Amino acid sequence: MTVMIDLKNVSYRYPVSDDFVLKNVSFSIEKGKFTAIIGNNGSGKTTLCNTIRGFVPHFYKGDLEGDVIVDQTKILDYQLGQLGEKVGYVFQNPFIQVSGVKDNVFEEVAYGLENLGVPVEEIIVRVEEILKLVKIEHLREKNPFELSGGQRQRVALASIIVMDPEILVIDEPTSQLDPVGTEQIFDIIRLMKERGKTIILVEHKMDLIAEYADDLLVMHEGELVMQGPVREVFANPEFEKYQIQYPHVTEIALQLQKMGTPLAFLPIRDEELAEALNMTGVKIHD
Amino acid sequence: MKQNILLQLHPLTKFYFSLFILVIVLIIPGYSFAFAIFPVLVLIAVFAGVSKEFLSIVLKALLSVLIIVFIMQMFFYPGDHVLWNWGIFSIKQEGVDYGLLLTSRILAIGSSFILFFRMTEVRDFVKSLEDKGLPPMGAYVVLSTLQIIPEMKRQANTIMEAQKTRGVETEGSLLIRAKAFIPTLTPLILSSIAGTEERAITLESRAFSAPVKKTSLHQLTKSNVDRVLPIVYVLIIVGLLVWRFFL
Amino acid sequence: MKRSFKDDFNMMAMLLIPIAVAVNLVGFQLANVLRLPIFLDTIGTILVGVIAGPWVALLAGLITNLINAIFNPVYLPYALTSMAIGVGAGYLSKYGFFKKIPKTIVAGVIITFIAVIISAPITVLVFGGATGNTSSLITATFLASGQQLWTAVFSSSFITEVADKVASVLIVYFIVKGMSDRYLSKMNYGHLYMKRNNKK
Ligand SMILES: Nc1ncnc2c1ncn2[C@@H]1O[C@H](COP(=O)(O)OP(=O)(O)OP(=O)(O)O)[C@@H](O)[C@H]1O
Ligand SMILES: [Mg+2]
């Protein structure tokens, strides 16, 4: 397995912040893995994404210590423009995340490909495919400024994955979406994983993380406090300390455990609950 | 409309035409020729199917200017041939002549630019300039300005309404009205500026500064007419210059 | 790092231009709606000059007039005035004129002079002395009372401009005060106005 993203003792401070916002963060992500970053507000998740995408320090400046290595090359040795092809970045605010010069969604999604110099015929084919994939074909003639938050989030995601980057960094892509829209986004992310993309996702919806993600990074006040396979992290008693939500079923299972019900293992997906209880011989139905 | 030959001309062909009008109006002395240009422009507007917008903008933008300019010259341009006299006011022949010259030129040049923008989408014009070497950032700035303006106007209205419901007065004495200005404009500016950082990131995420030559879904075509017309303009101008200065 | 800091500045600065232009237009519209006796149509240009420097402001001024000229070509020759106002505001900012209110007012007066010196010749040469705005009336009055054309145009445009420009610079002053360090730190001249001093 090749390492795609590698951070070694990374600390970072924005030019105007007093404290370090990232403190001595180290981890590595293998090619093709789906890693979720979780943590409370202000814990540094977005900053971490910016670091992987090279906006820290290329754009934000400030003091960066340690090494950030993306696909075997130090981030400092990339040009900002080069990283655009390698790392796709969908960020938090869907309202600003439009090019600001396109009249309709089709052209909006095509914008990145135009900038990459892709031939026009190919652009049209690729955009058509992505519109279908992200289920926004019906929006193609709409002005990006007239879309709802959820629609914009999908357009933003489409605009990035159409560029076919090897790495996808996605910061809270479902904040404006209802449960159905959220499921759809996760479906697309899963599809991207099947296509071999390396995915980094910031998300608060733990049930979905438990269902789809491979690994978990837990941020707390700028420190990377826990990391590992999703199941292991949730099962670690230390997790409770950071006051981050558990998946629903895990929450319930932990309650049951506290009340004396033995568990075979800690379930993190809904369908595992019965199994976790059954194996210990507790009968749900008499 | 789509089939209109005039509208289908390359943006630069149309733009050069406006410049052509500007140059010939300045070369040819006197006001009769410059005044004669206007009916020609109206005719072009009719053929292009934009006469209504054209005339309404000419009226709105130029009429008052033309009247004021003419009156000013009529009364205040220095000269000896007094045509009419009333107290300190007097109309002089020289003033009338100069007034006609100025207004004829303003009308011809001004309306030729108005006509240009009635016949050309700004987006197409910017694209044509980009093809001529305008940097992508420059094109971006102009296009994004055109998108931001209506957006900001809408937001300004929203903020004004919100101010009113919160009791900020927008009627009354000058001081009261002036006081409403700052709380409306300031939040608008600050929030727009706060968005620039993310806009910059968006552009980078869309490979705006990728070190390759961009392609474009939007292509302009040049017909033979587009190749010939600019040459015709130049020949006419050269001819006029020769006639004016060497014959 | 191959891409220089300067490039990033440029991107942020360039993105300010559309905002500046829109602010100019919205300011003008708002002044109209509120029936204020001044135009307030250069706030965006001056603001950009103050935080991003003279050259960005020059572009903002130019584009403002080009866009206005789409509907009214009379604006076209006055693009020179807008550009000069931007450059002036930029240099005044560089030399610290927008840090305190008194100096800001001085800056407003200097910008008025710049505007008048550039616009009066345009008014005289292109439009023969009047274009039909408020200052035309004053110009006519001066002319009728026997003044020379140039003096009349200069003085009338100074009278109409000075209140406008002083009000505009004061508004800019308060807007800059309200900007957070986070954004100021990204602007060419932002460090001049940051509340906490940047270490670098
Ligand atoms: N551009 C910036 N300049 C200065 N400080 C910043 C900047 N962006 C973020 N910060 C600060 O850095 C810290 C971490 O912010 P960050 O946005 O990375 O957190 P987050 O985990 O993504 O939070 P959220 O869940 O709210 O999105 C916060 O204290 C924030 O105020
Ligand atoms: Mg965040």
Side-chain angles (χ1 to χ4, degrees), chain B:
Chain B
M1 278 288 277
K2 271 266 180 274
Q3 298 310 316
N4 193 302
I5 312 171
L6 288 175
L7 293 184
Q8 275 178 343
L9 288 173
H10 190 271
L12 287 179
T13 310
K14 296 180 240 176
F15 184 63
Y16 293 150
F17 178 73
S18 296
L19 292 182
F20 169 70
I21 297 287
L22 183 140
V23 173
I24 59 173
V25 162
L26 294 180
I27 295 178
I28 296 179
Y31 51 77
S32 341
F33 176 78
F35 273 127
I37 293 282
F38 185 67
V40 176
L41 295 177
V42 175
L43 216 61
I44 295 176
V46 170
F47 279 123
V50 295
S51 52
K52 239 176 101 192
E53 303 96 303
F54 172 68
L55 287 174
S56 102
I57 292 183
V58 169
L59 277 183
K60 256 202 304 218
L62 295 183
L63 188 65
S64 65
V65 177
L66 293 176
I67 292 174
I68 301 271
V69 167
F70 185 70
I71 292 178
M72 289 287 283
Q73 302 315 315
M74 199 163 69
F75 285 112
F76 300 116
Y77 196 78
D80 313 314
H81 299 84
V82 177
L83 299 176
W84 183 80
N85 214 324
W86 185 74
I88 53 166
F89 295 103
S90 62
I91 297 177
K92 285 150 254 141
Q93 182 63 48
E94 288 88 345
V96 172
D97 288 345
Y98 191 62
L100 287 172
L101 181 68
L102 272 185
T103 48
S104 70
R105 286 179 172 176
I106 294 170
L107 178 65
I109 297 168
S111 50
S112 81
F113 280 97
I114 292 175
L115 181 61
F116 169 70
F117 281 110
R118 281 334 99 204
M119 291 174 55
T120 316
E121 293 278 337
V122 180
R123 179 176 289 275
D124 292 340
F125 183 43
V126 172
K127 176 74 179 116
S128 71
L129 294 177
E130 213 180 338
D131 292 344
K132 278 269 171 218
L134 176 74
M137 197 70 219
Y140 179 88
V141 166
V142 175
L143 292 180
S144 127
T145 305
L146 290 173
Q147 286 217 340
I148 274 186
I149 290 169
E151 185 77 358
M152 291 263 271
K153 284 192 172 164
R154 208 178 42 70
Q155 284 176 24
N157 286 336
T158 317
I159 296 175
M160 275 269 269
E161 291 306 316
Q163 302 287 353
K164 273 186 203 160
T165 55
R166 267 194 279 140
V168 176
E169 301 270 355
T170 56
E171 301 289 332
S173 77
L174 178 60
L175 190 67
I176 288 175
R177 283 179 280 132
K179 270 191 191 154
F181 188 87
I182 293 184
T184 309
L185 199 63
T186 313
L188 191 62
I189 296 178
L190 292 180
S191 70
S192 312
I193 288 181
T196 51
E197 190 174 288
E198 279 168 320
R199 179 54 62 75
I201 290 183
T202 304
L203 289 184
E204 284 303 346
S205 302
R206 305 285 181 82
F208 185 81
S209 59
V212 292
K213 193 171 179 324
K214 301 180 193 310
T215 48
S216 173
L217 290 179
H218 186 68
Q219 292 295 344
L220 298 172
T221 49
K222 256 192 173 166
S223 68
N224 281 333
V225 181
D226 292 310
R227 276 179 275 272
V228 173
L229 273 181
I231 300 175
V232 175
Y233 304 154
V234 171
L235 287 180
I236 295 178
I237 289 172
V238 171
L240 285 174
L241 283 174
V242 170
W243 165 74
R244 179 83 202 274
F245 294 105
F246 296 100
L247 296 183

Side-chain angles (χ1 to χ4, degrees), chain A residues 19-279:
Chain A
D19 262 339
F20 278 90
V21 173
L22 296 179
K23 298 167 193 157
N24 207 21
V25 174
S26 303
F27 64 87
S28 52
I29 294 176
E30 286 173 359
K31 186 172 161 56
K33 286 281 184 190
F34 177 176
T35 308
I37 304 177
I38 60 175
N40 290 322
N41 287 359
S43 57
K45 305 181 293 293
T46 298
T47 308
L48 192 55
C49 291
N50 279 324
T51 311
I52 295 169
R53 174 57 181 81
F55 290 134
V56 162
H58 283 299
F59 177 76
Y60 284 102
K61 299 163 219 165
D63 313 318
L64 179 74
E65 292 164 14
D67 288 330
V68 181
I69 299 162
V70 173
D71 200 11
Q72 335 291 337
T73 310
K74 284 194 186 178
I75 206 101
L76 291 176
D77 296 333
Y78 282 103
Q79 285 184 2
L80 202 47
Q82 284 177 324
L83 269 165
E85 276 180 85
K86 196 174 280 295
V87 188
Y89 185 27
V90 184
F91 63 89
Q92 241 169 320
N93 185 342
F95 289 95
I96 296 182
Q97 219 171 147
V98 284
S99 66
V101 288
K102 295 298 186 183
D103 294 329
N104 62 55
V105 167
F106 188 93
E107 288 182 6
E108 178 69 28
V109 175
Y111 187 60
L113 296 178
E114 290 180 327
N115 285 334
L116 288 175
V118 176
V120 172
E121 310 79 59
E122 191 186 333
I123 292 183
I124 293 172
V125 174
R126 280 167 73 173
V127 174
E128 290 291 355
E129 187 209 348
I130 296 294
L131 291 184
K132 215 173 276 163
L133 186 75
V134 185
K135 299 195 169 67
I136 50 173
E137 279 169 297
H138 58 292
L139 301 178
R140 64 163 64 219
E141 296 297 332
K142 282 226 172 180
N143 188 324
F145 276 101
E146 287 159 7
L147 301 177
S148 72
Q151 289 172 329
R152 284 186 194 212
Q153 276 186 317
R154 283 194 235 181
V155 171
L157 183 64
S159 305
I160 295 303
I161 60 183
V162 76
M163 294 162 70
D164 201 27
E166 276 177 80
I167 301 169
L168 275 170
V169 179
I170 311 174
D171 196 353
E172 297 194 36
T174 65
S175 57
Q176 309 275 330
L177 289 167
D178 55 22
V180 177
T182 305
E183 283 281 357
Q184 284 173 354
I185 294 284
F186 271 85
D187 265 344
I188 295 160
I189 295 175
R190 199 198 53 216
L191 210 77
M192 291 295 119
K193 181 173 149 64
E194 281 166 9
R195 291 187 184 178
K197 310 285 178 209
T198 307
I199 294 161
I200 293 143
L201 172 77
V202 176
E203 186 51 85
H204 289 294
K205 294 170 181 160
M206 298 301 159
D207 295 341
L208 290 159
I209 288 176
E211 195 175 333
Y212 291 98
D214 300 313
D215 296 307
L216 213 48
L217 300 176
V218 183
M219 294 296 296
H220 183 72
E221 293 176 357
E223 282 175 74
L224 177 62
V225 286
M226 298 178 75
Q227 56 179 311
V230 174
R231 191 174 296 279
E232 283 173 26
V233 172
F234 283 134
N236 190 334
E238 192 194 336
F239 185 78
E240 213 180 339
K241 204 167 82 185
Y242 303 111
Q243 309 250 317
I244 303 169
Q245 235 188 335
Y246 277 105
H248 276 106
V249 62
T250 314
E251 189 92 56
I252 294 167
L254 285 170
Q255 284 294 334
L256 289 172
Q257 196 173 37
K258 258 189 209 144
M259 285 155 43
T261 317
L263 293 173
F265 63 95
L266 190 67
I268 60 171
R269 298 179 188 167
D270 289 354
E271 66 270 16
E272 294 170 0
L273 181 61
E275 199 188 342
L277 297 171
N278 271 335
M279 277 176 66

